[in-house]
Amino acid sequence: MFIALFAALTSATAADCRHLPAPPATATAAVPNDNRTRAGVIRDGVLTLRLVARDAAWRPDGPAGCALTVRAFAEEGRSTSIPGPMIRVAVGTEVHVSVRNALATTVWMRGLQDRRPGVLDSVEIAAGASRDFRFTATQAGAWYYWAGAADAHYPTSGANGQLVGALVVDRPKTAGEKPASDRVMVLTRWTPNGTVENRGFQLNALNGRSWPNTERLQYTVGDSVFWHVINASNSTHEMHLHGFYHRLVARGYDVDSLRASTNGIGGMRVTGVLRPGEWNSVAWSPDRAGNWLYHCHLLTHMSGEQHLDRMPGAVATKESHGGAHRASNHAMDDMGGLVIGLDVRPSRVAATTRRADTASRPARTIDIFANTRARWFGEASGYGFVVQEGSVPPALDSIRIPGTPLILTRGEPVRITVHNRLATPISVHWHGIELESYFDGVGGFSGSSNRIAPMIAAGDSFVVRFTPPRAGTFMYHVHGESGKELSSGLYAPLIVVEPGATFDTRTERVVVFADGGPRDGDPIFMNGTATPDTMVLVTGTTYRIRTIYIGADDIYFTTLRGPGGPVTVQLLALDGYDLPAGPPVMTPMRLPTGPGHTRDMLFTPSEPGAYAIDVVRRLNTGGGITTGPTTTMPIRVRAP
Ligand SMILES: [Cu+2]
């Protein structure tokens, strides 16, 4: 079914592109670059490469989609590509690159230098001129090179947004190490006016394409997967892997200071933040077959609006839906941009690693209702997941924001029936839970080629089965859909406790951070309100605070402050994965956090007094600028 739909979509008749200026006759067609081929020639330890920057016609929606005129790199004598030709060398290689500027304007070239901490050079190349770059690559990492305006710290999202290419420097192999089977993903961005603003039309691309025209990566259960993910854009991304944890192996941050950051190295997570200019190298291994996604958790960056034939002003065609389409297939119609699909095949050697406890024990049954209530946010509806308690289903218009917390036990199977009482189809994602692909919650995609999970149609229900293998803090939420159901309430905590343990209401607190409704800029909600009740704590008691972040499009900056300023907490777990044993990780709670993360902390107040959790939006550019109203949860700490 999936194959057929995919084929139908990609073989659609050419889109109507009259709303876009036709590329000039001088523009060459840009091909997508999957970064599997090294550019240039290596001889006697020296890489020689000739690049040219030129106008290009870029079709991020595939060959049948519209073309944008952008600037891009080519290897002299070869096709222009987006991203540009990949420079990939081993540490110690001498690199000789010449760059010819075939554009009509001057550009400033950056990144073609050794990446030891220092100053990033900016080399002016006039229209028609060429410059040579020679360096020895000593600093391993997944860097990139780019060209643009004189004052750009990283690629902008305008005409220069695709004028980038990967510069991967491989560290020497250790003895006996297998050759790396890895992939390089370059994230780029385009907006009509080049702005960093995250509202309005934009197009985010992974290796030069927007979902569903991105590559499909094929793996086998047990493979060692290694990815270099490079954010060559002016926006923060929160890359979320469905179904599996991945380990952060290395990272770098590519602004003037060339600050090397070791923060978080070695940690396991399901969502990784990539600030503008940042790269991450991550490793993981699939232990379950099926279709999985790796995507940005910022809804705008994974939304189906990101196709050139759905741009405002586009002529609506039957194929393009004109942006007004209600999806019948979430995966193919609702999503676009920074999404890549993974096809994991079963292993012939180890036929099953299925956890033995699933079949042998009776499942706990749970009924969840996706409900809506009119005029909850002004004229707009509110939404909520409500778990049935007792024998009677919840009232049709009862909602809870956040939805009813699910408290599950590690190793205990559950059978959850999701009842969709909304007027639109939905799918529900069990974020951070290592479950079977079919239940993962991407309607039209989850599962495998002979059994694809449907969306849950209006009035219909869907049964989800899984056995949580890990205790921790997770969430369940609607998977994108039209975009406003999430910010209007369709999310809830999912907490897994150890066998024999209970959720201790005396010493545990859950704080869910999300948007305060469907309108941009309204105050952030903590536990479903912009005016939270006072949390009362007792001195000398250690509390486990489980924070969950599920805003739609914003990075939130959270502070826990006490009478004497910021308060220090002990970090226990990230994304539901316990930190490795070792000395306690103490940190002041002053944290930027994007959507799709959870964080567990221990807090032991020692002094009575007035404390508070503050949360405010932070601009999605890595710049540290907060914006909009602050939401405060007062905390009163009293003596026992
Ligand atoms: Cu993103």
Side-chain angles (χ1 to χ4, degrees):
M1 177 176 132
F2 165 71
I3 299 297
L5 280 167
F6 187 74
L9 203 89
T10 50
S11 67
T13 49
D16 190 324
C17 306
R18 282 173 288 173
H19 59 295
L20 290 164
T26 52
T28 59
V31 297
N33 180 1
D34 64 10
N35 286 307
R36 300 177 78 173
T37 309
R38 301 155 192 260
V41 176
I42 295 187
R43 195 167 295 141
D44 300 330
V46 179
L47 171 80
T48 307
L49 170 65
R50 291 189 302 142
L51 293 175
V52 55
R54 56 159 74 119
D55 288 324
W58 177 40
R59 296 180 191 274
D61 299 325
C66 300
L68 268 181
T69 307
V70 295
R71 298 165 178 171
F73 285 109
E75 192 169 352
E76 286 279 14
R78 299 188 181 213
S79 297
T80 307
S81 71
I82 292 177
M86 177 174 70
I87 301 174
R88 185 157 193 181
V89 295
V91 161
T93 307
E94 204 177 310
V95 180
H96 294 180
V97 185
S98 71
V99 181
R100 179 169 70 87
N101 180 6
L103 300 165
T105 54
T106 298
V107 291
W108 281 261
M109 190 72 212
R110 292 182 179 79
L112 291 175
Q113 66 185 78
D114 186 35
R115 297 310 187 84
R116 276 174 309 180
V119 175
L120 199 59
D121 295 336
S122 174
V123 177
E124 183 176 350
I125 312 179
S130 297
R131 295 290 292 260
D132 290 336
F133 298 81
R134 286 168 178 254
F135 61 96
T136 301
T138 71
Q139 197 74 16
W143 314 99
Y144 64 94
Y145 64 89
W146 77 109
D151 58 351
H153 288 289
Y154 27 70
T156 58
S157 51
N160 297 330
Q162 316 308 317
L163 200 48
V164 306
L167 167 58
V168 179
V169 182
D170 292 308
R171 61 173 174 75
K173 297 269 179 290
T174 52
E177 186 177 343
K178 284 190 292 184
S181 160
D182 64 21
R183 299 302 293 259
V184 176
M185 303 182 199
V186 176
L187 316 182
T188 58
R189 186 162 179 262
W190 181 86
T191 60
N193 54 8
T195 176
V196 296
E197 170 60 48
N198 204 30
R199 317 286 176 200
F201 186 82
Q202 59 185 279
L203 206 155
N204 294 277
L206 193 158
N207 283 348
R209 285 182 280 191
S210 169
W211 172 270
N213 293 291
T214 45
E215 204 185 341
R216 189 65 39 90
L217 301 179
Q218 303 213 331
Y219 295 110
T220 300
V221 165
D223 279 356
S224 293
V225 180
F226 201 92
W227 292 338
H228 299 290
V229 187
I230 301 170
N231 181 7
S233 83
N234 57 4
S235 177
T236 296
H237 298 301
E238 296 281 354
M239 297 303 290
H240 173 59
L241 178 61
H242 279 228
F244 305 96
Y245 284 88
H246 52 288
R247 185 181 298 279
L248 180 63
V249 175
R251 71 191 298 189
Y253 193 58
D254 202 16
V255 291
D256 283 352
S257 66
L258 289 182
R259 203 148 36 101
S261 174
T262 55
N263 190 22
I265 297 290
M268 301 291 280
R269 71 266 184 92
V270 293
T271 307
V273 59
L274 287 150
R275 293 166 295 170
E278 181 168 4
W279 57 265
N280 283 184
S281 298
V282 302
W284 64 282
S285 179
D287 65 354
R288 280 152 287 132
N291 293 332
W292 304 96
L293 291 181
Y294 181 58
H295 69 83
C296 183
H297 216 290
L298 297 162
L299 286 192
T300 302
H301 299 179
M302 62 165 290
S303 108
E305 300 309 304
Q306 295 176 96
H307 297 293
L308 290 171
D309 60 358
R310 298 188 191 180
M311 204 176 154
V315 183
T317 64
K318 192 158 144 279
E319 289 75 24
S320 74
H321 318 302
H325 178 74
R326 289 311 298 232
S328 56
N329 183 303
H330 167 55
M332 295 304 130
D333 295 339
D334 285 335
M335 298 195 307
L338 292 186
V339 183
I340 191 164
L342 318 176
D343 173 4
V344 179
R345 307 284 171 86
S347 165
R348 275 168 296 170
V349 185
T352 177
T353 53
R354 181 96 16 252
R355 293 173 176 91
D357 54 5
T358 313
S360 57
R361 299 170 55 178
R364 178 179 154 201
T365 60
I366 297 168
D367 288 89
I368 296 180
F369 292 80
N371 282 353
T372 184
R373 186 163 186 160
R375 285 178 291 283
W376 187 261
F377 296 104
E379 284 302 302
S381 298
Y383 296 84
F385 289 117
V386 184
V387 171
Q388 178 174 336
E389 283 155 26
S391 57
V392 181
L396 278 170
D397 66 345
S398 63
I399 62 172
R400 283 184 65 151
I401 302 178
T404 313
L406 278 184
I407 313 287
L408 309 182
T409 302
R410 181 173 64 80
E412 182 189 282
V414 289
R415 180 186 189 280
I416 301 171
T417 305
V418 181
H419 304 263
N420 180 12
R421 285 166 153 181
L422 310 181
T424 52
I426 59 168
S427 39
V428 179
H429 175 51
W430 312 88
H431 183 114
I433 299 289
E434 297 145 277
L435 41 48
E436 277 182 54
S437 172
Y438 186 73
F439 302 119
D440 182 53
V442 185
F445 181 73
S446 296
S448 57
S449 54
N450 55 359
R451 187 173 176 242
I452 299 286
M455 295 191 76
I456 314 172
D460 205 351
S461 64
F462 182 73
V463 175
V464 174
R465 291 189 190 84
F466 61 89
T467 302
R470 184 184 309 280
T473 302
F474 309 95
M475 65 183 102
Y476 62 103
H477 63 76
V478 70
H479 200 265
E481 269 60 74
S482 79
K484 292 304 181 192
E485 291 92 347
L486 183 72
S487 50
S488 305
L490 275 185
Y491 55 87
L494 196 171
I495 289 160
V496 182
V497 298
E498 290 291 350
T502 53
F503 179 81
D504 182 352
T505 53
R506 194 182 67 86
T507 61
E508 297 195 53
R509 298 289 184 274
V510 179
V511 186
V512 183
F513 299 86
D515 290 343
R519 281 185 312 202
D520 287 341
D522 277 353
I524 296 167
F525 273 6
M526 272 188 260
N527 293 343
T529 172
T531 54
D533 287 343
T534 300
M535 180 190 287
V536 179
L537 306 178
V538 176
T539 54
T541 303
T542 296
Y543 295 90
R544 180 178 188 134
I545 300 177
R546 300 170 183 264
T547 59
I548 296 172
Y549 289 84
I550 186 62
D553 266 313
D554 293 306
I555 312 300
Y556 295 165
F557 193 76
T558 314
T559 307
L560 171 60
R561 59 182 160 88
V567 164
T568 295
V569 295
Q570 181 188 339
L571 199 54
L572 279 189
L574 290 170
D575 289 357
Y577 199 104
D578 290 347
L579 297 194
V585 178
M586 307 303 293
T587 174
M589 190 172 156
R590 285 178 54 74
L591 302 161
T593 312
H597 293 274
T598 72
R599 192 182 280 112
D600 289 41
M601 293 160 289
L602 293 182
F603 172 46
T604 311
S606 54
E607 299 294 327
Y611 293 64
I613 298 174
D614 292 328
V615 63
V616 62
R617 287 185 171 82
R618 181 177 253 199
L619 288 184
N620 182 18
T621 56
I625 303 156
T626 58
T627 175
T630 298
T631 300
T632 296
M633 176 183 282
I635 301 175
R636 185 164 65 83
V637 175
R638 59 171 178 80

